[in-house]
Amino acid sequence: MKKIFRIFLAYAACIAVTSCSDSFLDINAPSVSEQSFFTTENQANLALTGCYDILGWDDTNYFPFWLGDILGHDAYKGGEGPGDQPWIEPLLNFQYNAGNPGLPVPFQHYYFGVNRCNRVIDKVGAMTKEMIGDDKKAQVIAEARFLRGYYYFELVKIFGEVPLVDHLMKAGNYNLPKSSLAELWTFIENDFKAAADVLLEKGEQDVGRATKGAAQAFLCKAYIFEKKWPEALAMAEEVIQSGTYDLEANYEDNWKLDHENGIESVFEIQFTPSGTDAWGDDNEGNEFVIFTRSRNNGDGWGFNCPKQSFVDRFEAGDLRRDATIIDDGEVLWPGTDDETVADNQFSSCLDLYMGQKYQIPPSEWGLQSDDPNNWIVIRYAEVLLWAAEAAAHTGGDWQSYLQQVRDRVNMGPTPIADALQAVYHEREVELGMEGQRLWDIIRQGRGEEVLGGEGYVEGVNNYLPIPQSQLNFIDN
């Protein structure tokens, strides 16, 4: 791991950041020496902004944004064909190799985030009252711990056992061993617990920042992955009983620009179409919408094309089907200047479907390379479904949580008698094309059942391999 830590020892605030659409992120970080930094509240805020910035880095977000649908075989890879993003092809067949060129970037970037958060936690923690008030200091450290918990959650979800770095690395101490899953999950839990104890509720905090409810929801998600069902149910109930969140009246409104950070959003990554109109992270918009737009509509790249087998899971009359799927020939935004006829007829879109979520009218698009949509990391609907899943495991009333999600789209009681199968189905149609599928199947222990025909082997394909370029520097 020496190579990574040499890279991310670089001082976070020396990197210029102009992240996201909200005022607390619309700032530039000057190039300064570490010795002269962390002496004022403004500098503490600036360094914290560097922790948030990595959330929106384009190449980091293949995995949490949309690759889970493809690797979970709810969608075809799409694009121009096998030669377009070819590193995905072996992963589709669960042929995992540490030399895969698509793996180093997310691994490195999440550790960049961890290091930036460690720096803020360490340096702001050492600031005096004259430099920063006690309440503000606690808030900044809590946000940094929330973000560190998020980055480690993604690392563990994707790569499994990884080195645990809870301090600033120093010269001569770069090599670290991998930690056990138990150690890593405990660390993640403790970060979210500490954050939840301090952070403000949604509505009391600047838009886009971590909140108490977001920390509680992520703690619930960690419990779900650990199969700590009583703890997961209790934490889901904390979020539910807070009264802070609710379901959007119309399911499809979740992905409209004028509903960003809305009542259903527990935590979302902020984007805005600012920048140079070139490719890369100098821009502050997202690329995932462009990746998943039809190749024949608006310069899209045609990835993540839903399969017929996924579309067929929607029950008759389920409004979520049309809010999730674009049919070939469908008229989009009818009666407006943006009216478009969907053209999904390109060779790698085998079943002629594209994803509807996050697709916005052309008049709202951003730059050539980036769109303005935020990415919703956790919706309140998912909290309800976590409660349902945990209740199903503990013998509780899972139906009431599940029915709230179905009521929103005018669906009656689930036709599936088995509690867990009913919850799994509801997650598939409620959260479809939101990048969840692969990780759900694996954590539910259904990998061989669902993906065995695609080459998945339990215990072998639960995690992607740590990139060889980084593995060479990990003490085993």
mmCIF file of all heavy atoms in Angstrom, residues 450-469:
data_model
loop_
_atom_site.group_PDB
_atom_site.id
_atom_site.type_symbol
_atom_site.label_atom_id
_atom_site.label_comp_id
_atom_site.label_asym_id
_atom_site.label_seq_id
_atom_site.Cartn_x
_atom_site.Cartn_y
_atom_site.Cartn_z
ATOM 1 N N VAL A 450 -28.906 -16.711 -7.729
ATOM 2 C CA VAL A 450 -29.309 -15.740 -8.751
ATOM 3 C C VAL A 450 -28.288 -15.636 -9.879
ATOM 4 O O VAL A 450 -28.656 -15.497 -11.048
ATOM 5 C CB VAL A 450 -29.538 -14.354 -8.103
ATOM 6 C CG1 VAL A 450 -29.913 -13.321 -9.157
ATOM 7 C CG2 VAL A 450 -30.610 -14.436 -7.025
ATOM 8 N N LEU A 451 -26.998 -15.708 -9.533
ATOM 9 C CA LEU A 451 -25.949 -15.421 -10.504
ATOM 10 C C LEU A 451 -25.059 -16.615 -10.802
ATOM 11 O O LEU A 451 -24.078 -16.476 -11.539
ATOM 12 C CB LEU A 451 -25.078 -14.260 -9.988
ATOM 13 C CG LEU A 451 -25.799 -12.930 -9.760
ATOM 14 C CD1 LEU A 451 -24.886 -11.943 -9.061
ATOM 15 C CD2 LEU A 451 -26.298 -12.358 -11.074
ATOM 16 N N GLY A 452 -25.394 -17.779 -10.253
ATOM 17 C CA GLY A 452 -24.559 -18.951 -10.485
ATOM 18 C C GLY A 452 -24.414 -19.278 -11.956
ATOM 19 O O GLY A 452 -23.350 -19.704 -12.414
ATOM 20 N N GLY A 453 -25.468 -19.066 -12.709
ATOM 21 C CA GLY A 453 -25.409 -19.329 -14.145
ATOM 22 C C GLY A 453 -24.504 -18.375 -14.893
ATOM 23 O O GLY A 453 -24.127 -18.638 -16.049
ATOM 24 N N GLU A 454 -24.163 -17.254 -14.262
ATOM 25 C CA GLU A 454 -23.269 -16.271 -14.888
ATOM 26 C C GLU A 454 -21.821 -16.488 -14.466
ATOM 27 O O GLU A 454 -20.947 -15.737 -14.885
ATOM 28 C CB GLU A 454 -23.701 -14.843 -14.512
ATOM 29 C CG GLU A 454 -25.176 -14.555 -14.715
ATOM 30 C CD GLU A 454 -25.608 -14.601 -16.169
ATOM 31 O OE1 GLU A 454 -24.732 -14.552 -17.045
ATOM 32 O OE2 GLU A 454 -26.820 -14.695 -16.413
ATOM 33 N N GLY A 455 -21.582 -17.469 -13.581
ATOM 34 C CA GLY A 455 -20.223 -17.770 -13.165
ATOM 35 C C GLY A 455 -19.898 -17.430 -11.729
ATOM 36 O O GLY A 455 -18.770 -17.643 -11.273
ATOM 37 N N TYR A 456 -20.860 -16.888 -10.984
ATOM 38 C CA TYR A 456 -20.612 -16.494 -9.599
ATOM 39 C C TYR A 456 -20.379 -17.726 -8.725
ATOM 40 O O TYR A 456 -21.113 -18.715 -8.811
ATOM 41 C CB TYR A 456 -21.801 -15.697 -9.060
ATOM 42 C CG TYR A 456 -21.675 -15.299 -7.603
ATOM 43 C CD1 TYR A 456 -21.111 -14.078 -7.252
ATOM 44 C CD2 TYR A 456 -22.106 -16.146 -6.577
ATOM 45 C CE1 TYR A 456 -20.989 -13.712 -5.931
ATOM 46 C CE2 TYR A 456 -21.988 -15.777 -5.260
ATOM 47 C CZ TYR A 456 -21.431 -14.566 -4.932
ATOM 48 O OH TYR A 456 -21.309 -14.206 -3.615
ATOM 49 N N VAL A 457 -19.373 -17.641 -7.835
ATOM 50 C CA VAL A 457 -19.086 -18.698 -6.874
ATOM 51 C C VAL A 457 -19.061 -18.075 -5.482
ATOM 52 O O VAL A 457 -18.304 -17.130 -5.224
ATOM 53 C CB VAL A 457 -17.737 -19.388 -7.167
ATOM 54 C CG1 VAL A 457 -17.440 -20.444 -6.111
ATOM 55 C CG2 VAL A 457 -17.756 -20.006 -8.560
ATOM 56 N N GLU A 458 -19.883 -18.596 -4.578
ATOM 57 C CA GLU A 458 -19.954 -18.081 -3.207
ATOM 58 C C GLU A 458 -18.592 -18.189 -2.542
ATOM 59 O O GLU A 458 -17.907 -19.208 -2.635
ATOM 60 C CB GLU A 458 -20.978 -18.886 -2.405
ATOM 61 C CG GLU A 458 -21.244 -18.334 -1.018
ATOM 62 C CD GLU A 458 -22.006 -17.020 -1.044
ATOM 63 O OE1 GLU A 458 -22.910 -16.880 -1.894
ATOM 64 O OE2 GLU A 458 -21.693 -16.133 -0.235
ATOM 65 N N GLY A 459 -18.185 -17.099 -1.884
ATOM 66 C CA GLY A 459 -16.909 -17.079 -1.190
ATOM 67 C C GLY A 459 -15.736 -16.702 -2.074
ATOM 68 O O GLY A 459 -14.688 -16.280 -1.570
ATOM 69 N N VAL A 460 -15.902 -16.848 -3.387
ATOM 70 C CA VAL A 460 -14.843 -16.481 -4.332
ATOM 71 C C VAL A 460 -15.123 -15.110 -4.925
ATOM 72 O O VAL A 460 -14.211 -14.296 -5.108
ATOM 73 C CB VAL A 460 -14.734 -17.533 -5.458
ATOM 74 C CG1 VAL A 460 -13.712 -17.091 -6.513
ATOM 75 C CG2 VAL A 460 -14.349 -18.886 -4.880
ATOM 76 N N ASN A 461 -16.394 -14.837 -5.211
ATOM 77 C CA ASN A 461 -16.769 -13.593 -5.889
ATOM 78 C C ASN A 461 -17.539 -12.632 -4.999
ATOM 79 O O ASN A 461 -18.245 -11.761 -5.503
ATOM 80 C CB ASN A 461 -17.609 -13.922 -7.136
ATOM 81 C CG ASN A 461 -16.874 -14.797 -8.116
ATOM 82 O OD1 ASN A 461 -17.311 -15.888 -8.450
ATOM 83 N ND2 ASN A 461 -15.727 -14.331 -8.585
ATOM 84 N N ASN A 462 -17.427 -12.787 -3.681
ATOM 85 C CA ASN A 462 -18.130 -11.865 -2.780
ATOM 86 C C ASN A 462 -17.556 -10.459 -2.836
ATOM 87 O O ASN A 462 -18.263 -9.480 -2.610
ATOM 88 C CB ASN A 462 -18.069 -12.380 -1.342
ATOM 89 C CG ASN A 462 -18.924 -13.614 -1.132
ATOM 90 O OD1 ASN A 462 -19.330 -14.267 -2.081
ATOM 91 N ND2 ASN A 462 -19.203 -13.941 0.114
ATOM 92 N N TYR A 463 -16.259 -10.365 -3.125
ATOM 93 C CA TYR A 463 -15.580 -9.065 -3.175
ATOM 94 C C TYR A 463 -14.686 -9.012 -4.400
ATOM 95 O O TYR A 463 -14.141 -10.026 -4.834
ATOM 96 C CB TYR A 463 -14.733 -8.843 -1.919
ATOM 97 C CG TYR A 463 -15.512 -8.919 -0.634
ATOM 98 C CD1 TYR A 463 -15.440 -10.053 0.171
ATOM 99 C CD2 TYR A 463 -16.349 -7.873 -0.238
ATOM 100 C CE1 TYR A 463 -16.170 -10.135 1.351
ATOM 101 C CE2 TYR A 463 -17.083 -7.954 0.926
ATOM 102 C CZ TYR A 463 -16.992 -9.086 1.727
ATOM 103 O OH TYR A 463 -17.721 -9.170 2.882
ATOM 104 N N LEU A 464 -14.535 -7.816 -4.930
ATOM 105 C CA LEU A 464 -13.578 -7.612 -6.008
ATOM 106 C C LEU A 464 -12.167 -7.628 -5.425
ATOM 107 O O LEU A 464 -11.961 -7.264 -4.257
ATOM 108 C CB LEU A 464 -13.848 -6.290 -6.712
ATOM 109 C CG LEU A 464 -15.190 -6.184 -7.436
ATOM 110 C CD1 LEU A 464 -15.377 -4.792 -8.018
ATOM 111 C CD2 LEU A 464 -15.313 -7.232 -8.527
ATOM 112 N N PRO A 465 -11.179 -8.025 -6.216
ATOM 113 C CA PRO A 465 -9.814 -8.096 -5.683
ATOM 114 C C PRO A 465 -9.205 -6.713 -5.489
ATOM 115 O O PRO A 465 -9.455 -5.795 -6.273
ATOM 116 C CB PRO A 465 -9.061 -8.881 -6.762
ATOM 117 C CG PRO A 465 -9.816 -8.604 -8.020
ATOM 118 C CD PRO A 465 -11.258 -8.488 -7.617
ATOM 119 N N ILE A 466 -8.406 -6.584 -4.448
ATOM 120 C CA ILE A 466 -7.630 -5.359 -4.283
ATOM 121 C C ILE A 466 -6.674 -5.250 -5.474
ATOM 122 O O ILE A 466 -6.038 -6.234 -5.863
ATOM 123 C CB ILE A 466 -6.844 -5.386 -2.962
ATOM 124 C CG1 ILE A 466 -7.822 -5.321 -1.778
ATOM 125 C CG2 ILE A 466 -5.843 -4.233 -2.885
ATOM 126 C CD1 ILE A 466 -7.161 -5.444 -0.425
ATOM 127 N N PRO A 467 -6.577 -4.077 -6.100
ATOM 128 C CA PRO A 467 -5.711 -3.939 -7.281
ATOM 129 C C PRO A 467 -4.277 -4.377 -6.984
ATOM 130 O O PRO A 467 -3.735 -4.072 -5.912
ATOM 131 C CB PRO A 467 -5.782 -2.441 -7.593
ATOM 132 C CG PRO A 467 -7.066 -1.981 -6.974
ATOM 133 C CD PRO A 467 -7.260 -2.816 -5.768
ATOM 134 N N GLN A 468 -3.670 -5.069 -7.942
ATOM 135 C CA GLN A 468 -2.328 -5.582 -7.736
ATOM 136 C C GLN A 468 -1.330 -4.465 -7.453
ATOM 137 O O GLN A 468 -0.401 -4.634 -6.658
ATOM 138 C CB GLN A 468 -1.874 -6.357 -8.978
ATOM 139 C CG GLN A 468 -0.561 -7.125 -8.784
ATOM 140 C CD GLN A 468 -0.683 -8.192 -7.710
ATOM 141 O OE1 GLN A 468 -1.581 -9.001 -7.747
ATOM 142 N NE2 GLN A 468 0.244 -8.171 -6.737
ATOM 143 N N SER A 469 -1.516 -3.316 -8.084
ATOM 144 C CA SER A 469 -0.599 -2.189 -7.865
ATOM 145 C C SER A 469 -0.599 -1.745 -6.415
ATOM 146 O O SER A 469 0.384 -1.174 -5.941
ATOM 147 C CB SER A 469 -0.973 -1.013 -8.760
ATOM 148 O OG SER A 469 -2.303 -0.581 -8.482
#
